[in-house]
Amino acid sequence: MIRSLLPVCLLMAVAACSPHQDTPTSAPVSKEELAPAPPAGPAPAATETTVAVHRHLADYATVKLTADLSAFDAEQKQMIALLIEAADSMNALYWKQAWGDQDALLTKIDDPATREFAEINYGPWDRLDNDRPFVAGIGPRPAGAQFYPADMTKAEFEHSSLRDKVGLYTLLRRDAQGQLVTVPYHQAYRDELAKTATLLRDAAKLARDAGFRKYLHLRADALQSDDYQPSDLAWMDMKRNPVDLVIGPIETYEDRLFGYKASYEAYVLIKDQAWSARLARFAQYLPELQRELPVPERYKAEQPGSDADLNAYFAIYYGGDANAGAKTIAINLPNDEQVQLKKGTRRLQLENVMQAKFDNIMLPIAHELIAEDQQENLTFDAFFQNTMFHEVAHGLGIKNTLDGKGTVRKALKDQASSFEEGKADILGLYMVTRLADKGELDKSGLMDNYVTFLAGILRSVRFGASDAHAKANMVRFNFFKQMGAFSRDEATGRYRVDFDKMTEAMNALSNKLLTVQGDGNYAEAKRMTDTLGQVGPQLAADLKRLDAASIPVDITFKQGPEVLGLATPIQPGE
């Protein structure tokens, strides 16, 4: 029997860690204490909440993360198991950053489905439904997550003279006098990071590739010092390692207050050698494509590093931020602008996850919303190319504002992530078009890329308009709509791509986004997001048709050593 209200103890627990308690704002708070969880709001009826949760669990198609490990001997499989254990440790750290005390939340939720949904979302807000709370007594998701004191205002932050307040790897806390102080990640999470670093060093003892072994040691050091650049440079130098690991505080999407603070995440990856060989040749075109960008010369004066590469992988484990809500299908790293300019970036295409999304989501969406005579243009090859060149495009454009005052990321603040994703999407399509013009891609298949691109927008905006990628997609959708890049048949409710107008819209939006980034124009970035980054009534109604057709919104994973048939790792020396 479904209860009408969650237990009183849950409401008391939530209220006890609310950022808007009756305690005066000047009350001393230990700077080591994690910021409190969000406020308790009006408690909706648990009956409605539980029914909604059961419905939204169906938004996820469950996919096993597997790969062929037959080429690895027992020792190398032991190394992979250690890497997975290290990646798994990012989950607890990310819970602290996104919500706070994981156990305190989960143990107070009676309904198993609601508990499972909280685990998928790393907290009580539905990441695929504009962060709507689904646990009784929980208020809106705080923009600053747990990176800042709950009572801190933007003005207080801006006026603070703390030198490292905008650092990627610092928490803002209050000292005994109630003043803002910064706490480095490696101090705030010392115990957890020590265990992770030990796992990486143990894995390094089993690594046979010298470059990978060096990277694991440097990354272990970075976790305990917050100095990630040496390990980023070492990661860029790796070329032949069949196993890869991405781990640490990387993306800043969780910080919606300023977009400054990075969240912990991890991926364990197995390289697809055959696919990677096919992709390698495209990296050589980066300098030429940078010079040809449809923007004045001063916005493309920076040159991407020449060590950039493209590779395809089978993902076998996602941890932390990477595993929250919508799952990424490709990676472009490092984010460090200095490393990008010196070495370029590595683009990792996660082909098994990409295929899962194409089969479970993209094709069913196209059957519902794309004009019937253009459905044949939706292909996995086009989806793969669009995604791949999205990641390549992160390395194009401009990293530092033209006024010389710093990086685009700092200038655009909370708009930086969505604008960078928007730039990468549109320049990715631009690159496909230019490479087809150069004969490197099949020009006759460009319509496939354009139609698949539109279907990709429709897939992504189902996440709601709160995620950085979704905001970028909505800006692009509405910009393209204004320029006639696609039309909607009123009789069938299906969308049709206009090839020539989409090409024009692609060039125009590329110019606009690059200009805003180069100028560091925060006001214009915010204006575009506010005016173009919203889901309109007509599109909302069309997306409801996808719900009625029971099409998943995203995927969740069955993953780990058991899924891969790996034994529990034994620490070297045991």
Side-chain angles (χ1 to χ4, degrees):
M1 179 177 179
I2 300 175
R3 299 180 182 179
S4 60
L5 290 174
L6 285 176
V8 174
C9 58
L10 172 58
L11 300 182
M12 293 175 65
V14 172
C17 56
S18 166
H20 298 290
Q21 301 170 47
D22 292 333
T23 306
T25 57
S26 59
V29 178
S30 168
K31 69 178 183 179
E32 300 295 336
E33 180 182 331
L34 285 175
T47 301
E48 297 176 357
T49 303
T50 303
V51 170
V53 164
H54 281 264
R55 185 174 68 250
H56 286 300
L57 271 175
D59 289 343
Y60 291 88
T62 301
V63 175
K64 283 187 177 181
L65 283 188
T66 61
D68 181 3
L69 302 182
S70 60
F72 298 97
D73 62 22
E75 190 174 72
Q76 292 300 284
K77 289 179 180 179
Q78 177 75 2
M79 179 192 71
I80 293 170
L82 286 167
L83 296 177
I84 291 174
E85 187 175 353
D88 183 71
S89 71
M90 295 295 101
N91 288 314
L93 288 171
Y94 181 60
W95 262 100
K96 287 187 174 183
Q97 293 180 315
W99 160 258
D101 190 330
Q102 173 187 2
D103 291 337
L105 176 67
L106 296 182
T107 57
K108 302 301 183 182
I109 300 175
D110 282 350
D111 176 55
T114 303
R115 193 179 308 115
E116 179 186 355
F117 203 49
E119 290 172 340
I120 290 173
N121 285 280
Y122 289 76
W125 302 283
D126 186 351
R127 292 174 181 267
L128 302 192
D129 189 19
N130 295 304
D131 294 317
R132 189 186 305 276
F134 56 84
V135 174
I138 300 296
R141 180 181 174 189
Q146 305 301 300
F147 300 115
Y148 309 93
D151 62 350
M152 186 196 77
T153 64
K154 277 193 171 185
E156 182 183 13
F157 179 89
E158 298 284 7
H159 290 125
S160 169
S161 60
L162 293 169
R163 291 179 57 189
D164 55 351
K165 66 181 182 181
V166 301
L168 287 166
Y169 316 122
T170 59
L171 300 172
L172 273 290
R173 295 292 181 259
R174 295 197 184 278
D175 62 16
Q177 289 72 46
Q179 299 301 307
L180 289 179
V181 294
T182 55
V183 183
Y185 281 10
H186 73 274
Q187 292 180 12
Y189 310 118
R190 180 184 291 109
D191 293 344
E192 297 95 329
L193 293 172
K195 294 176 182 178
T196 306
T198 297
L199 289 167
L200 295 188
R201 294 182 181 114
D202 288 343
K205 296 174 185 176
L206 302 173
R208 292 174 186 163
D209 181 86
F212 189 48
R213 184 164 57 249
K214 177 183 177 182
Y215 165 70
L216 290 177
H217 279 297
L218 289 173
R219 204 63 173 181
D221 294 343
L223 289 170
Q224 295 185 288
S225 68
D226 292 329
D227 181 8
Y228 287 90
Q229 192 169 95
S231 60
D232 282 345
L233 290 168
W235 190 70
M236 283 301 303
D237 290 337
M238 295 190 307
K239 303 297 182 185
R240 298 182 302 274
N241 52 304
V243 180
D244 213 332
L245 173 74
V246 175
I247 191 167
I250 298 173
E251 303 293 357
T252 61
Y253 306 132
E254 194 71 22
D255 178 5
R256 297 181 187 174
L257 191 62
F258 291 107
Y260 292 149
K261 306 304 176 184
S263 298
Y264 285 97
E265 65 179 330
Y267 303 85
V268 182
L269 310 169
I270 305 298
K271 192 172 186 177
D272 183 333
Q273 303 286 1
W275 263 100
S276 295
R278 298 181 204 172
L279 302 179
R281 76 177 193 274
F282 292 120
Q284 65 183 307
Y285 286 99
L286 281 180
E288 182 179 344
L289 290 166
Q290 172 82 355
R291 292 192 298 270
E292 295 174 351
L293 290 174
V295 71
E297 291 296 326
R298 63 185 182 277
Y299 293 96
K300 53 186 178 183
E302 297 175 353
Q303 288 299 314
S306 58
D307 288 343
D309 62 354
L310 304 173
N311 290 287
Y313 293 83
F314 295 100
I316 58 172
Y317 197 88
Y318 280 47
D321 189 19
N323 195 41
K327 310 303 186 293
T328 190
I329 53 179
I331 307 168
N332 178 75
L333 292 171
N335 287 332
D336 186 321
E337 294 89 352
Q338 293 179 4
V339 176
Q340 288 185 6
L341 292 174
K342 183 176 182 179
K343 294 276 191 179
T345 61
R346 289 178 60 198
R347 289 89 178 187
L348 291 70
Q349 316 304 305
L350 311 182
E351 60 178 286
N352 57 333
V353 181
M354 204 179 298
Q355 185 76 61
K357 289 204 179 191
F358 184 80
D359 293 342
N360 287 283
I361 303 170
M362 287 280 281
L363 284 177
I365 284 176
H367 293 155
E368 291 290 326
L369 295 181
I370 298 297
E372 290 186 3
D373 62 317
Q374 289 191 345
Q375 288 185 18
E376 64 183 17
N377 297 111
L378 194 89
T379 68
F380 178 71
D381 283 349
F383 185 46
F384 187 91
Q385 288 173 0
N386 290 350
T387 304
M388 174 179 68
F389 288 110
H390 164 102
E391 299 306 328
V392 175
H394 277 299
L396 297 181
I398 190 165
K399 307 300 177 187
N400 300 291
T401 57
L402 296 180
D403 61 12
K405 293 183 178 180
T407 63
V408 170
R409 177 178 60 82
K410 289 184 178 179
L412 295 190
K413 304 177 186 178
D414 56 305
Q415 303 295 317
S417 292
S418 62
F419 262 69
E420 178 60 24
E421 292 306 322
K423 180 208 77 173
D425 270 334
I426 198 66
L427 289 189
L429 190 63
Y430 163 82
M431 292 177 70
V432 169
T433 305
R434 295 296 297 128
L435 287 169
D437 290 341
K438 296 174 187 297
E440 287 296 323
L441 294 174
D442 182 5
K443 195 166 186 177
S444 67
L446 266 181
M447 192 63 171
D448 294 353
N449 294 94
Y450 283 22
V451 173
T452 303
F453 189 81
L454 177 59
I457 295 177
L458 296 171
R459 177 186 69 85
S460 295
V461 297
R462 292 184 73 201
F463 303 157
S466 62
D467 174 80
H469 295 75
K471 287 181 181 178
N473 274 292
M474 280 314 307
V475 169
R476 186 165 56 260
F477 179 90
N478 287 316
F479 189 95
F480 277 19
K481 181 180 179 180
Q482 291 176 0
M483 292 197 67
F486 61 83
S487 59
R488 180 182 181 278
D489 188 306
E490 293 295 333
T492 64
R494 294 178 179 270
Y495 292 81
R496 174 182 301 279
V497 169
D498 183 307
F499 184 88
D500 292 332
K501 290 183 179 179
M502 182 169 276
T503 304
E504 293 174 9
M506 173 188 71
N507 289 326
L509 186 56
S510 296
N511 180 288
K512 180 64 175 177
L513 296 181
L514 288 170
T515 301
V516 169
Q517 286 188 318
D519 292 342
N521 192 340
Y522 177 80
E524 178 61 9
K526 190 172 188 309
R527 185 200 67 79
M528 289 182 66
T529 300
D530 289 345
T531 57
L532 297 175
Q534 310 300 320
V535 178
Q538 186 178 75
L539 178 58
D542 290 336
L543 295 177
K544 285 293 183 184
R545 288 160 48 197
L546 303 181
D547 295 338
S550 300
I551 298 173
V553 178
D554 208 77
I555 57 179
T556 190
F557 300 129
K558 286 186 177 179
Q559 58 178 354
E562 298 82 7
V563 173
L564 293 164
L566 295 175
T568 302
I570 300 172
Q571 311 301 324
E574 289 187 3

